[in-house]
Amino acid sequence: MPTDQPQPAFVLVRPQMGENIGAAARAMWNFGLDRMRLVAPRDGWPNEKASAMASGAGRLLDEAQLCDAFPDSVADCTYVLATTARPRGLTKPVLSPERAMRIAAEKIAAGEKVAVIFGPERAGLENEEIARANAIISVPVNPGFASLNLAQCVLLVAYEWMRQTGEVVHEEIATGRTGWAVAAEIDALADHYEETLDRAGFFFPETKADSMKVNLRNLWSRMALTQADVRMLHGILRQMVRWKQRGD
């Protein structure tokens, strides 16, 4: 069954290769999209090569809406975005994928239906199809090699959709099998080093000892330490002391 998430429909117009349809389905499902519409696939439908390429996203193909003509594929939509890399001589807003998906998210949140249309692999969308769109999506690519594979274009737009709907974590640090060290653990580590270094005569001259200890505490507080890091740093210091005591 389709997800309940409000989202745009991705319309593949006259796709030529089943493999590209399957790859587009995978790209959509990677980013939580499952509303695929197909307009007159060249090799007929269903397509075994599409199903093989879709892998775990095969249900998108099973539930894809098949349309004989392009107008039928967007008939229920209030806002249509056309993807194209070639200038068409049409007066129409040209949007980056980021801007386009921001607008799409706003319109869908307001209850509108949005479609993004993708043309066939060899020549892209016809002017008559682009003329029915409200705006164009243009991906900033190398002008000397602007042609994108169908599935690549689908993936780029789908990724921007996920970004605009707030589901992207832009930065995180994986802590593995351990959690972050708490303040008490950092304090105990600082005490261990301060006491050991004090015995070793590190805080010299005495007039600078207090500021050196503050700087050392500040060093520990600036470090993002996990509980495993703290245990390892305790162990390193203990082993160094044992080594010194053995006189090796």
Side-chain angles (χ1 to χ4, degrees):
M1 294 292 291
T3 65
D4 293 330
Q5 177 194 13
Q7 59 181 265
F10 276 29
V11 182
L12 310 189
V13 181
R14 299 185 306 282
Q16 296 171 327
M17 298 179 62
E19 293 89 341
N20 284 337
I21 300 173
R26 291 186 65 173
M28 289 175 62
W29 191 229
N30 282 148
F31 298 103
L33 293 165
D34 59 8
R35 309 291 198 278
M36 176 181 279
R37 299 179 182 183
L38 300 171
V39 179
R42 183 190 65 182
D43 296 334
W45 197 255
N47 185 291
E48 291 184 1
K49 292 181 178 179
S51 298
M53 191 67 183
S55 187
R59 75 168 185 81
L60 270 74
L61 303 181
D62 295 338
E63 297 164 1
Q65 180 180 339
L66 185 63
C67 305
D68 293 328
F70 168 70
D72 299 334
S73 69
V74 295
D76 63 338
C77 297
T78 57
Y79 192 76
V80 177
L81 292 153
T83 59
T84 180
R86 296 187 288 119
R88 301 304 186 110
L90 298 172
T91 301
K92 198 174 291 289
V94 179
L95 311 172
S96 68
E98 179 180 10
R99 177 61 178 156
M101 290 301 96
R102 185 178 304 136
I103 293 172
E106 292 169 354
K107 289 185 175 295
I108 289 172
E112 296 189 46
K113 289 189 176 181
V114 175
V116 184
I117 58 175
F118 303 84
E121 295 88 323
R122 180 169 297 180
L125 295 164
E126 299 289 343
N127 275 13
E128 291 79 4
E129 293 155 347
I130 296 174
R132 293 176 180 267
N134 300 97
I136 289 171
I137 299 177
S138 181
V139 178
V141 293
N142 174 8
F145 190 63
S147 178
L148 286 172
N149 174 272
L150 173 60
Q152 291 174 331
C153 191
V154 168
L155 185 142
L156 281 169
V157 178
Y159 168 68
E160 290 297 342
W161 167 258
M162 177 170 279
R163 287 187 64 216
Q164 298 310 314
T165 52
E167 298 179 15
V168 175
V169 177
H170 292 284
E171 183 177 352
E172 64 178 346
I173 299 176
T175 58
R177 298 178 181 178
T178 184
W180 293 111
V182 298
E185 292 168 326
I186 301 296
D187 284 342
L189 179 67
D191 289 341
H192 187 187
Y193 271 76
E194 185 176 306
E195 293 165 2
T196 304
L197 291 171
D198 202 8
R199 292 197 304 270
F202 176 76
F203 298 112
F204 181 85
E206 187 175 346
T207 55
K208 294 185 178 181
D210 288 343
S211 63
M212 292 174 71
K213 291 176 181 179
V214 169
N215 288 338
L216 183 60
R217 292 269 172 172
N218 191 49
L219 169 66
W220 296 122
S221 69
R222 293 203 317 269
M223 298 173 67
L225 296 173
T226 65
Q227 293 170 331
D229 295 332
V230 169
R231 289 194 295 270
M232 182 179 67
L233 289 167
H234 277 300
I236 289 172
L237 189 57
R238 283 193 291 266
Q239 188 61 30
M240 292 295 290
V241 171
R242 292 191 192 105
W243 172 77
K244 179 63 178 177
Q245 290 170 344
R246 288 201 306 267
D248 293 345

mmCIF file of all heavy atoms in Angstrom, residues 158-188:
data_model
loop_
_atom_site.group_PDB
_atom_site.id
_atom_site.type_symbol
_atom_site.label_atom_id
_atom_site.label_comp_id
_atom_site.label_asym_id
_atom_site.label_seq_id
_atom_site.Cartn_x
_atom_site.Cartn_y
_atom_site.Cartn_z
ATOM 1 N N ALA A 158 14.215 13.693 -5.993
ATOM 2 C CA ALA A 158 13.698 13.004 -4.805
ATOM 3 C C ALA A 158 14.504 13.381 -3.562
ATOM 4 O O ALA A 158 13.935 13.573 -2.477
ATOM 5 C CB ALA A 158 13.728 11.495 -5.020
ATOM 6 N N TYR A 159 15.810 13.496 -3.712
ATOM 7 C CA TYR A 159 16.652 13.902 -2.583
ATOM 8 C C TYR A 159 16.284 15.299 -2.106
ATOM 9 O O TYR A 159 16.174 15.557 -0.904
ATOM 10 C CB TYR A 159 18.122 13.849 -2.979
ATOM 11 C CG TYR A 159 19.042 14.516 -1.981
ATOM 12 C CD1 TYR A 159 19.234 13.970 -0.711
ATOM 13 C CD2 TYR A 159 19.703 15.698 -2.298
ATOM 14 C CE1 TYR A 159 20.060 14.590 0.215
ATOM 15 C CE2 TYR A 159 20.533 16.313 -1.378
ATOM 16 C CZ TYR A 159 20.716 15.757 -0.136
ATOM 17 O OH TYR A 159 21.528 16.373 0.773
ATOM 18 N N GLU A 160 16.080 16.211 -3.057
ATOM 19 C CA GLU A 160 15.703 17.570 -2.665
ATOM 20 C C GLU A 160 14.334 17.592 -1.995
ATOM 21 O O GLU A 160 14.094 18.404 -1.094
ATOM 22 C CB GLU A 160 15.722 18.504 -3.880
ATOM 23 C CG GLU A 160 17.113 18.808 -4.409
ATOM 24 C CD GLU A 160 17.975 19.541 -3.395
ATOM 25 O OE1 GLU A 160 17.431 20.121 -2.432
ATOM 26 O OE2 GLU A 160 19.205 19.536 -3.549
ATOM 27 N N TRP A 161 13.440 16.706 -2.413
ATOM 28 C CA TRP A 161 12.144 16.619 -1.738
ATOM 29 C C TRP A 161 12.335 16.251 -0.274
ATOM 30 O O TRP A 161 11.752 16.868 0.624
ATOM 31 C CB TRP A 161 11.242 15.597 -2.433
ATOM 32 C CG TRP A 161 10.042 15.239 -1.600
ATOM 33 C CD1 TRP A 161 9.852 14.119 -0.845
ATOM 34 C CD2 TRP A 161 8.881 16.058 -1.388
ATOM 35 N NE1 TRP A 161 8.648 14.178 -0.198
ATOM 36 C CE2 TRP A 161 8.025 15.359 -0.508
ATOM 37 C CE3 TRP A 161 8.485 17.305 -1.864
ATOM 38 C CZ2 TRP A 161 6.804 15.859 -0.093
ATOM 39 C CZ3 TRP A 161 7.261 17.811 -1.448
ATOM 40 C CH2 TRP A 161 6.438 17.094 -0.576
ATOM 41 N N MET A 162 13.165 15.256 -0.021
ATOM 42 C CA MET A 162 13.398 14.848 1.358
ATOM 43 C C MET A 162 14.029 15.989 2.159
ATOM 44 O O MET A 162 13.674 16.218 3.323
ATOM 45 C CB MET A 162 14.288 13.608 1.428
ATOM 46 C CG MET A 162 14.622 13.184 2.852
ATOM 47 S SD MET A 162 15.415 11.575 2.981
ATOM 48 C CE MET A 162 13.977 10.503 2.884
ATOM 49 N N ARG A 163 14.945 16.713 1.558
ATOM 50 C CA ARG A 163 15.567 17.843 2.257
ATOM 51 C C ARG A 163 14.530 18.888 2.655
ATOM 52 O O ARG A 163 14.548 19.414 3.760
ATOM 53 C CB ARG A 163 16.619 18.509 1.365
ATOM 54 C CG ARG A 163 17.897 17.718 1.183
ATOM 55 C CD ARG A 163 18.918 18.567 0.435
ATOM 56 N NE ARG A 163 19.276 19.723 1.233
ATOM 57 C CZ ARG A 163 19.533 20.932 0.750
ATOM 58 N NH1 ARG A 163 19.432 21.158 -0.558
ATOM 59 N NH2 ARG A 163 19.876 21.919 1.537
ATOM 60 N N GLN A 164 13.613 19.174 1.744
ATOM 61 C CA GLN A 164 12.637 20.225 2.007
ATOM 62 C C GLN A 164 11.555 19.802 2.990
ATOM 63 O O GLN A 164 10.892 20.642 3.589
ATOM 64 C CB GLN A 164 11.987 20.686 0.688
ATOM 65 C CG GLN A 164 12.959 21.280 -0.302
ATOM 66 C CD GLN A 164 13.841 22.348 0.320
ATOM 67 O OE1 GLN A 164 13.368 23.224 1.033
ATOM 68 N NE2 GLN A 164 15.133 22.293 0.034
ATOM 69 N N THR A 165 11.383 18.514 3.160
ATOM 70 C CA THR A 165 10.369 18.049 4.106
ATOM 71 C C THR A 165 10.973 17.744 5.465
ATOM 72 O O THR A 165 10.316 17.148 6.327
ATOM 73 C CB THR A 165 9.635 16.808 3.550
ATOM 74 O OG1 THR A 165 10.600 15.811 3.146
ATOM 75 C CG2 THR A 165 8.790 17.190 2.355
ATOM 76 N N GLY A 166 12.215 18.161 5.678
ATOM 77 C CA GLY A 166 12.821 18.133 7.002
ATOM 78 C C GLY A 166 13.234 16.777 7.505
ATOM 79 O O GLY A 166 13.325 16.577 8.715
ATOM 80 N N GLU A 167 13.512 15.839 6.622
ATOM 81 C CA GLU A 167 13.876 14.502 7.071
ATOM 82 C C GLU A 167 15.359 14.202 6.921
ATOM 83 O O GLU A 167 15.791 13.071 7.084
ATOM 84 C CB GLU A 167 13.068 13.471 6.285
ATOM 85 C CG GLU A 167 11.567 13.604 6.502
ATOM 86 C CD GLU A 167 10.766 12.598 5.695
ATOM 87 O OE1 GLU A 167 11.372 11.636 5.206
ATOM 88 O OE2 GLU A 167 9.560 12.785 5.554
ATOM 89 N N VAL A 168 16.166 15.216 6.608
ATOM 90 C CA VAL A 168 17.596 15.017 6.414
ATOM 91 C C VAL A 168 18.348 15.479 7.655
ATOM 92 O O VAL A 168 18.161 16.595 8.133
ATOM 93 C CB VAL A 168 18.103 15.801 5.180
ATOM 94 C CG1 VAL A 168 19.620 15.684 5.060
ATOM 95 C CG2 VAL A 168 17.443 15.281 3.913
ATOM 96 N N VAL A 169 19.189 14.621 8.205
ATOM 97 C CA VAL A 169 20.099 15.000 9.284
ATOM 98 C C VAL A 169 21.381 15.473 8.627
ATOM 99 O O VAL A 169 22.097 14.693 7.994
ATOM 100 C CB VAL A 169 20.379 13.803 10.222
ATOM 101 C CG1 VAL A 169 21.379 14.196 11.294
ATOM 102 C CG2 VAL A 169 19.085 13.309 10.845
ATOM 103 N N HIS A 170 21.688 16.749 8.752
ATOM 104 C CA HIS A 170 22.810 17.315 8.012
ATOM 105 C C HIS A 170 24.166 16.996 8.632
ATOM 106 O O HIS A 170 25.184 17.067 7.945
ATOM 107 C CB HIS A 170 22.628 18.831 7.887
ATOM 108 C CG HIS A 170 21.475 19.196 7.002
ATOM 109 N ND1 HIS A 170 21.539 19.111 5.632
ATOM 110 C CD2 HIS A 170 20.221 19.608 7.296
ATOM 111 C CE1 HIS A 170 20.377 19.484 5.113
ATOM 112 N NE2 HIS A 170 19.570 19.780 6.098
ATOM 113 N N GLU A 171 24.195 16.676 9.901
ATOM 114 C CA GLU A 171 25.463 16.292 10.521
ATOM 115 C C GLU A 171 25.181 15.519 11.788
ATOM 116 O O GLU A 171 24.306 15.882 12.582
ATOM 117 C CB GLU A 171 26.316 17.527 10.851
ATOM 118 C CG GLU A 171 27.667 17.187 11.437
ATOM 119 C CD GLU A 171 28.530 18.401 11.682
ATOM 120 O OE1 GLU A 171 28.131 19.509 11.250
ATOM 121 O OE2 GLU A 171 29.596 18.263 12.295
ATOM 122 N N GLU A 172 25.933 14.451 11.996
ATOM 123 C CA GLU A 172 25.849 13.701 13.237
ATOM 124 C C GLU A 172 27.144 12.940 13.427
ATOM 125 O O GLU A 172 27.915 12.763 12.474
ATOM 126 C CB GLU A 172 24.666 12.723 13.234
ATOM 127 C CG GLU A 172 24.776 11.624 12.199
ATOM 128 C CD GLU A 172 23.606 10.655 12.267
ATOM 129 O OE1 GLU A 172 22.865 10.693 13.273
ATOM 130 O OE2 GLU A 172 23.440 9.866 11.329
ATOM 131 N N ILE A 173 27.407 12.536 14.643
ATOM 132 C CA ILE A 173 28.593 11.735 14.943
ATOM 133 C C ILE A 173 28.119 10.414 15.507
ATOM 134 O O ILE A 173 27.405 10.388 16.524
ATOM 135 C CB ILE A 173 29.519 12.442 15.943
ATOM 136 C CG1 ILE A 173 30.012 13.763 15.357
ATOM 137 C CG2 ILE A 173 30.706 11.552 16.303
ATOM 138 C CD1 ILE A 173 30.850 14.584 16.314
ATOM 139 N N ALA A 174 28.482 9.336 14.847
ATOM 140 C CA ALA A 174 28.113 8.009 15.329
ATOM 141 C C ALA A 174 29.061 7.624 16.465
ATOM 142 O O ALA A 174 30.283 7.690 16.314
ATOM 143 C CB ALA A 174 28.198 6.994 14.198
ATOM 144 N N THR A 175 28.508 7.241 17.618
ATOM 145 C CA THR A 175 29.332 6.910 18.776
ATOM 146 C C THR A 175 29.599 5.411 18.898
ATOM 147 O O THR A 175 30.137 4.968 19.908
ATOM 148 C CB THR A 175 28.663 7.408 20.070
ATOM 149 O OG1 THR A 175 27.365 6.811 20.188
ATOM 150 C CG2 THR A 175 28.532 8.913 20.062
ATOM 151 N N GLY A 176 29.259 4.644 17.900
ATOM 152 C CA GLY A 176 29.524 3.212 17.942
ATOM 153 C C GLY A 176 28.739 2.526 19.041
ATOM 154 O O GLY A 176 27.547 2.758 19.223
ATOM 155 N N ARG A 177 29.441 1.703 19.836
ATOM 156 C CA ARG A 177 28.761 0.909 20.856
ATOM 157 C C ARG A 177 28.742 1.599 22.221
ATOM 158 O O ARG A 177 28.360 0.978 23.216
ATOM 159 C CB ARG A 177 29.455 -0.447 20.981
ATOM 160 C CG ARG A 177 29.402 -1.267 19.686
ATOM 161 C CD ARG A 177 30.149 -2.582 19.867
ATOM 162 N NE ARG A 177 30.130 -3.371 18.634
ATOM 163 C CZ ARG A 177 30.742 -4.539 18.486
ATOM 164 N NH1 ARG A 177 31.423 -5.052 19.499
ATOM 165 N NH2 ARG A 177 30.683 -5.185 17.337
ATOM 166 N N THR A 178 29.203 2.822 22.289
ATOM 167 C CA THR A 178 29.271 3.510 23.563
ATOM 168 C C THR A 178 28.600 4.864 23.458
ATOM 169 O O THR A 178 28.403 5.387 22.362
ATOM 170 C CB THR A 178 30.738 3.675 24.007
ATOM 171 O OG1 THR A 178 30.784 4.264 25.302
ATOM 172 C CG2 THR A 178 31.495 4.578 23.042
ATOM 173 N N GLY A 179 28.249 5.450 24.618
ATOM 174 C CA GLY A 179 27.623 6.761 24.606
ATOM 175 C C GLY A 179 28.625 7.857 24.908
ATOM 176 O O GLY A 179 29.813 7.609 25.157
ATOM 177 N N TRP A 180 28.130 9.085 24.890
ATOM 178 C CA TRP A 180 28.988 10.223 25.211
ATOM 179 C C TRP A 180 29.321 10.225 26.697
ATOM 180 O O TRP A 180 28.508 9.852 27.539
ATOM 181 C CB TRP A 180 28.293 11.530 24.844
ATOM 182 C CG TRP A 180 28.090 11.713 23.375
ATOM 183 C CD1 TRP A 180 26.900 11.690 22.704
ATOM 184 C CD2 TRP A 180 29.093 11.936 22.390
ATOM 185 N NE1 TRP A 180 27.101 11.882 21.365
ATOM 186 C CE2 TRP A 180 28.443 12.045 21.137
ATOM 187 C CE3 TRP A 180 30.478 12.071 22.427
ATOM 188 C CZ2 TRP A 180 29.121 12.263 19.945
ATOM 189 C CZ3 TRP A 180 31.175 12.284 21.244
ATOM 190 C CH2 TRP A 180 30.494 12.381 20.023
ATOM 191 N N ALA A 181 30.538 10.650 27.017
ATOM 192 C CA ALA A 181 30.937 10.778 28.419
ATOM 193 C C ALA A 181 30.182 11.938 29.060
ATOM 194 O O ALA A 181 29.987 12.990 28.448
ATOM 195 C CB ALA A 181 32.442 11.027 28.505
ATOM 196 N N VAL A 182 29.746 11.739 30.302
ATOM 197 C CA VAL A 182 29.048 12.794 31.037
ATOM 198 C C VAL A 182 30.074 13.644 31.782
ATOM 199 O O VAL A 182 31.255 13.296 31.892
ATOM 200 C CB VAL A 182 28.012 12.201 32.016
ATOM 201 C CG1 VAL A 182 26.954 11.424 31.256
ATOM 202 C CG2 VAL A 182 28.700 11.321 33.066
ATOM 203 N N ALA A 183 29.601 14.759 32.330
ATOM 204 C CA ALA A 183 30.505 15.716 32.972
ATOM 205 C C ALA A 183 31.297 15.077 34.107
ATOM 206 O O ALA A 183 32.493 15.358 34.281
ATOM 207 C CB ALA A 183 29.708 16.918 33.475
ATOM 208 N N ALA A 184 30.657 14.211 34.901
ATOM 209 C CA ALA A 184 31.347 13.587 36.034
ATOM 210 C C ALA A 184 32.500 12.712 35.557
ATOM 211 O O ALA A 184 33.568 12.655 36.206
ATOM 212 C CB ALA A 184 30.358 12.768 36.859
ATOM 213 N N GLU A 185 32.316 12.041 34.433
ATOM 214 C CA GLU A 185 33.380 11.200 33.891
ATOM 215 C C GLU A 185 34.535 12.041 33.361
ATOM 216 O O GLU A 185 35.717 11.677 33.522
ATOM 217 C CB GLU A 185 32.804 10.308 32.782
ATOM 218 C CG GLU A 185 31.832 9.262 33.306
ATOM 219 C CD GLU A 185 31.041 8.577 32.200
ATOM 220 O OE1 GLU A 185 30.718 9.231 31.194
ATOM 221 O OE2 GLU A 185 30.743 7.367 32.363
ATOM 222 N N ILE A 186 34.220 13.180 32.745
ATOM 223 C CA ILE A 186 35.268 14.084 32.265
ATOM 224 C C ILE A 186 36.031 14.674 33.450
ATOM 225 O O ILE A 186 37.264 14.798 33.419
ATOM 226 C CB ILE A 186 34.667 15.209 31.403
ATOM 227 C CG1 ILE A 186 33.927 14.625 30.193
ATOM 228 C CG2 ILE A 186 35.751 16.177 30.958
ATOM 229 C CD1 ILE A 186 34.800 13.884 29.228
ATOM 230 N N ASP A 187 35.318 15.022 34.517
ATOM 231 C CA ASP A 187 35.974 15.562 35.710
ATOM 232 C C ASP A 187 36.935 14.541 36.320
ATOM 233 O O ASP A 187 38.052 14.886 36.747
ATOM 234 C CB ASP A 187 34.931 15.976 36.754
ATOM 235 C CG ASP A 187 34.244 17.280 36.416
ATOM 236 O OD1 ASP A 187 34.789 18.034 35.575
ATOM 237 O OD2 ASP A 187 33.158 17.548 36.970
ATOM 238 N N ALA A 188 36.495 13.285 36.386
ATOM 239 C CA ALA A 188 37.360 12.242 36.949
ATOM 240 C C ALA A 188 38.605 12.052 36.092
ATOM 241 O O ALA A 188 39.716 11.847 36.611
ATOM 242 C CB ALA A 188 36.575 10.935 37.063
#
